[in-house]
Amino acid sequence: MKYLFCMFLLALCRLSYAQPPTQDLAAYRLSVAQNSNNQLIKIDKTQQGIQLDLVYGSTNNFVKKPVYPRGLAYTFLRKPAYEALLAVVQELRQQGLGIQLFDAYRPYDVTRILWSIVPDERYAANPKKGSYHNRGLAVDLSVYDLKTGKLLPMGTGFDNFSDTAHHSFTDLPQAQRDNRALLKNVMARHGFTALDSEWWHYTFKTDTVYPVLNIPFAELAR
């Protein structure tokens, strides 16, 4: 029953895509054999300095339904993006901080669902283009205190679709502006670019053109 809602949304969002997303696990594995940088590296709770709160596997998201497998406890990033993220974690650890991931790899079908609810390219990827999440190159994250486990205040929560979440919004307490700047600067030092309209969203910069994927999490985890 939990997937009927998602299937309904997909039916409402029949958008064309110039190049069909890759759904073939064998094709993905062949690409990894040809170039190890194509690999999607698994991220779970075993990595020190990384907390996971994969909200799309719960009802705690703007869809109000799980669009990932319920209780999902791992995600993925392409190898170069994963290695860069580990460098971010290492730098933050020296300041007594860690990262909390809300999302990373996202199957293409989920992008269609999110767009059907928020068809606004400031806050959701247009399925006609595909998402960097679909390519395993984007992360949604925040920063937490390693001692307390508490998130640093950033002015809004995740997936706050308002001007307050924009990097250009400055009508915030100084501490919150500083926290956003801290995250933005450390991500930039390790090859990630910010999305202007979402303080939590970063894309790994690369000249490699990765395909849009629609491979389920469970298949990638095999």
Side-chain angles (χ1 to χ4, degrees):
M1 291 293 295
K2 66 183 180 181
Y3 291 110
L4 292 179
F5 179 77
C6 299
M7 292 172 66
F8 171 72
L9 289 177
L10 286 174
L12 293 177
C13 190
R14 297 182 183 279
L15 296 173
S16 62
Y17 184 68
Q19 182 177 356
T22 299
Q23 303 184 67
D24 188 342
L25 184 62
Y28 160 71
R29 288 176 172 167
L30 177 60
S31 75
V32 173
Q34 294 170 340
N35 183 347
S36 63
N37 282 338
N38 291 332
Q39 184 178 4
L40 285 160
I41 305 293
K42 187 177 183 181
I43 305 172
D44 58 27
K45 64 180 181 181
T46 63
Q47 280 101 337
Q48 291 187 344
I50 299 179
Q51 292 185 157
L52 296 181
D53 181 17
L54 302 174
V55 298
Y56 296 126
S58 72
T59 59
N60 185 31
N61 58 64
F62 74 92
V63 187
K64 305 303 181 185
K65 298 281 185 179
V67 290
Y68 289 168
R70 186 179 289 273
L72 184 69
Y74 58 86
T75 187
F76 298 91
L77 278 178
R78 295 282 185 178
K79 184 179 178 182
Y82 172 78
E83 292 174 344
L85 190 67
L86 289 187
V88 169
V89 171
Q90 183 176 4
E91 181 175 339
L92 287 174
R93 187 182 298 134
Q94 296 172 4
Q95 304 176 54
L97 302 171
I99 64 168
Q100 180 161 303
L101 281 181
F102 303 115
D103 201 18
Y105 168 67
R106 178 184 301 161
Y108 174 75
D109 277 349
V110 175
T111 291
R112 295 175 63 192
I113 292 170
L114 302 186
W115 179 257
S116 73
I117 299 171
V118 183
D120 184 335
E121 291 194 51
R122 294 175 300 169
Y123 306 117
N126 189 331
K128 290 184 178 181
K129 302 175 182 179
S131 164
Y132 284 106
H133 281 292
N134 304 148
R135 296 173 169 88
L137 295 173
V139 289
D140 295 332
L141 77 170
S142 191
V143 181
Y144 75 96
D145 187 299
L146 289 175
K147 289 183 178 179
T148 66
K150 294 182 178 180
L151 291 174
L152 302 190
M154 295 288 185
T156 76
F158 172 62
D159 272 356
N160 178 286
F161 304 136
S162 72
D163 292 350
T164 311
H166 294 199
H167 283 282
S168 60
F169 188 86
T170 59
D171 188 17
L172 294 169
Q174 185 63 48
Q176 295 176 7
R177 297 200 301 272
D178 290 345
N179 291 338
R180 288 189 184 187
L182 180 150
L183 177 59
K184 187 175 183 180
N185 290 336
V186 69
M187 295 297 284
R189 282 194 289 274
H190 297 286
F192 291 90
T193 58
L195 180 64
D196 290 342
S197 55
E198 298 179 347
W199 63 258
W200 56 83
H201 180 100
Y202 289 85
T203 300
F204 182 70
K205 295 181 293 186
T206 177
D207 293 330
T208 302
V209 179
Y210 289 99
V212 169
L213 299 179
N214 195 30
I215 303 174
F217 289 97
E219 291 190 22
L220 288 172
R222 289 179 186 172

